[in-house]
């Protein structure tokens, strides 16, 4: 079984997020596939470690933990 270890390296504001960032959402670490600005924030399409994609709307004032693979 392949085990991936992540390390939290920063906390980013919503406007600092970029495609391919690994961020923490709801006790999971996901990869941002795309980020689209909206009037009140952003729409994120993200993928979890199982390859499942989901859409999440976030506001400008939210913050997210940024992770890297060790």
């Amino acid at each position: 079984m392949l085990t991936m270890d992540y390390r939290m390296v920063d906390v980013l504001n919503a406007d600092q997020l970029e495609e391919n960032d690994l961020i923490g959402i709801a006790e999971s670490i996901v990869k941002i596939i795309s980020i689209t600005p909206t009037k009140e924030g952003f729409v994120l399409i993200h993928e979890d470690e199982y390859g499942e994609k989901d859409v999440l709307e976030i506001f400008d004032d939210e913050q997210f933990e940024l992770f890297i693979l060790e």
Side-chain angles (χ1 to χ4, degrees):
M1 181 170 152
L2 180 64
T3 303
M4 290 188 251
D5 291 323
Y6 297 98
R7 181 167 49 121
M8 203 246 329
V9 293
D10 204 353
V11 176
L12 300 178
N13 296 323
D15 64 345
Q16 295 175 301
L17 297 174
E18 297 182 5
E19 291 179 3
N20 297 315
D21 281 349
L22 297 171
I23 61 169
I25 296 179
E27 298 183 24
S28 296
I29 297 175
V30 299
K31 178 180 174 182
I32 298 175
I33 302 299
S34 72
I35 184 165
T36 307
T38 65
K39 186 176 181 179
E40 296 180 354
F42 300 91
V43 173
L44 298 179
I45 298 176
H46 59 84
E47 181 177 41
D48 66 14
E49 62 185 293
Y50 303 107
E52 297 174 353
K53 294 182 182 175
D54 198 7
V55 177
L56 176 67
E57 291 186 41
I58 61 172
F59 293 102
D60 287 332
D61 61 350
E62 293 188 57
Q63 293 185 323
F64 298 88
E65 294 177 332
L66 177 67
F67 291 85
I68 61 169
L69 279 170
E70 288 193 321

